[in-house]
Amino acid sequence: MWPNMIILLLLKLASSVTATTAVTESSSYCIFNGKTYLTEELLVDNCLNLICVGDTWYPTGYASSTCSMCSLRNDPHFTGFSGLTYDFHGILEYYIAMNIDTYGVTGDFYQCNALASCLDIITYKDGVDTMITFDKDDGNTILVNGDPFTVTNVVQNVESADGVVHPVLAWKQGLCIRVVGTRGIALSFCIHDMYVWAENAILGDLDGLCFGGRAFGAANPKRNFQKLPVSQQQINEWGESLLVSGNIIGPLETTTAVSIPGTCDAETEQDLLLQCLDLFSDMSFSQISLSHDLYQTAVGFCAVDLCLMTLSNATQTEIEAWKSTMVGMLENTMEVIAFTLPYR
């Protein structure tokens, strides 16, 4: 991420640009989706705001207030666009936030252990001519219509074979790959977790696993990120209804969500919650971030994972490895809280 002072300077410069400013021969400009943007002008219609500096796009690090966000983290825990949280451990490919088959995001999951499924391949479709896939095994390369494209810290238009340029911008943000397109949907893919931003104006046209609140008629919570008040069986049945048609089921695969064992007792749950708080305590975050509901939700997800691993008799080595992964996911979450979590 750009240093804060540079970001603020760029935003200050951008605020002085008006729609009537003319392009002169000496002006620099950027182009996106066939439209010209003057230097210092912002691209704000795709949730993750970018600024044109010279002839290059740079991420400001901030999201548009006209968007909502949903997220999922292994294994996998969801925070919905409505601010409700829930788990769904389906296997194969499901709609995440999709306008039928026209545009949006789908997720392919695999059974990563005896108790849960995990992110495998994510597909971002900007239209019939642009399909981008992200693979958990490669954090630097995406496939654009099946052709490999290397993503760097520089914001670039993605390209497919023979140099065909697509109206989607991609860049590395830390260990994550971020993209914005033309449909009002932005995505950050971080191997073990993912974040999807969508313009509020198009939410009614989308369906998928990040719409748990709407699926059950649950009202938006008064505070962010509260548990969806329905049974796990209901969530599983709803989730399976979002399976993408045409999935090829292998001999060891099913279309049924992974069966989750019982819960830990209250004393054990409290102990695991304290372990997670201690695990995350060494990370340097502001007090505002630490008090945020999304941070508290991440701590709760951590405790759930440790409970399930305890019930499944996971080894200490396995538990410690997963703790390290959860710390990495939390770093991504805290960056979202600090900069790209739209106001609800």
Side-chain angles (χ1 to χ4, degrees), residues 21-248:
T21 303
V23 178
T24 66
E25 290 184 359
S26 61
S27 295
S28 297
Y29 58 89
C30 304
I31 297 177
F32 178 70
N33 195 28
K35 181 179 176 181
T36 299
Y37 294 80
L38 303 181
T39 188
E40 304 172 7
E41 193 170 1
L42 288 169
L43 178 64
V44 296
D45 297 330
N46 301 286
C47 293
L48 294 180
N49 298 340
L50 300 164
I51 188 169
C52 177
V53 180
D55 59 358
T56 304
W57 289 111
Y58 291 93
T60 67
Y62 294 91
S64 170
S65 60
T66 60
C67 295
S68 294
M69 185 204 75
C70 82
S71 67
L72 57 139
R73 67 184 60 217
N74 285 340
D75 49 342
H77 305 292
F78 287 82
T79 60
F81 285 110
S82 62
L84 293 162
T85 67
Y86 40 95
D87 294 343
F88 175 69
H89 297 283
I91 297 170
L92 299 180
E93 187 179 13
Y94 299 83
Y95 296 112
I96 303 297
M98 195 78 185
N99 183 328
I100 312 177
D101 291 317
T102 306
Y103 66 90
V105 182
T106 64
D108 200 353
F109 302 87
Y110 72 105
Q111 188 164 352
C112 50
N113 56 54
L115 300 174
S117 60
C118 291
L119 282 167
D120 191 4
I121 297 173
I122 299 299
T123 299
Y124 175 95
K125 191 173 183 180
D126 192 61
V128 294
D129 297 321
T130 306
M131 182 177 294
I132 298 171
T133 52
F134 307 77
D135 192 320
K136 65 176 176 56
D137 294 325
D138 193 338
N140 297 309
T141 305
I142 58 178
L143 297 180
V144 183
N145 292 349
D147 301 312
F149 179 84
T150 300
V151 182
T152 69
N153 293 333
V154 177
V155 179
Q156 309 170 75
N157 273 99
V158 303
E159 298 182 12
S160 55
D162 300 321
V164 176
V165 178
H166 297 261
V168 171
L169 299 172
W171 68 96
K172 287 295 294 288
Q173 187 92 13
L175 298 178
C176 306
I177 295 176
R178 290 190 169 184
V179 299
V180 298
T182 64
R183 300 289 189 152
I185 296 177
L187 174 69
S188 180
F189 180 70
C190 310
I191 307 299
H192 294 287
D193 49 326
M194 181 179 75
Y195 304 83
V196 180
W197 294 264
E199 289 283 348
N200 294 329
I202 68 169
L203 288 178
D205 299 326
L206 305 177
D207 197 13
L209 288 173
C210 280
F211 291 92
R214 185 170 71 191
F216 295 98
N220 289 1
K222 294 181 180 179
R223 298 174 63 240
N224 286 349
F225 308 113
Q226 297 180 20
K227 189 174 181 179
L228 180 64
V230 299
S231 70
Q232 189 61 49
Q233 180 179 349
Q234 290 174 288
I235 293 173
N236 289 348
E237 291 173 353
W238 160 69
E240 292 301 339
S241 73
L242 297 169
L243 189 70
V244 175
S245 61
N247 278 275
I248 300 175

Side-chain angles (χ1 to χ4, degrees), residues 276-290:
C276 290
L277 286 168
D278 183 62
L279 175 66
F280 298 157
S281 65
D282 293 334
M283 305 177 72
S284 177
F285 299 123
S286 71
Q287 289 302 309
I288 294 176
S289 295
L290 293 177

Side-chain angles (χ1 to χ4, degrees), residues 267-334:
E267 183 178 353
T268 301
E269 285 185 352
Q270 183 62 29
D271 177 64
L272 295 176
L273 192 63
L274 292 174
Q275 285 188 42
C276 290
L277 286 168
D278 183 62
L279 175 66
F280 298 157
S281 65
D282 293 334
M283 305 177 72
S284 177
F285 299 123
S286 71
Q287 289 302 309
I288 294 176
S289 295
L290 293 177
S291 65
H292 197 284
D293 287 337
L294 188 53
Y295 170 79
Q296 300 299 330
T297 295
V299 173
F301 285 155
C302 168
V304 169
D305 286 355
L306 294 184
C307 170
L308 294 179
M309 295 186 82
T310 300
L311 293 174
S312 65
N313 298 316
T315 66
Q316 192 59 38
T317 299
E318 291 171 329
I319 291 174
E320 292 303 319
W322 187 242
K323 283 182 177 180
S324 177
T325 297
M326 289 192 291
V327 167
M329 288 190 284
L330 182 68
E331 290 176 341
N332 299 327
T333 297
M334 300 309 279

Side-chain angles (χ1 to χ4, degrees), residues 8-19 40-42 51:
L8 292 173
L9 175 60
L10 295 177
L11 291 175
K12 182 177 180 181
L13 290 171
S15 66
S16 66
V17 176
T18 66
E40 304 172 7
E41 193 170 1
L42 288 169
I51 188 169

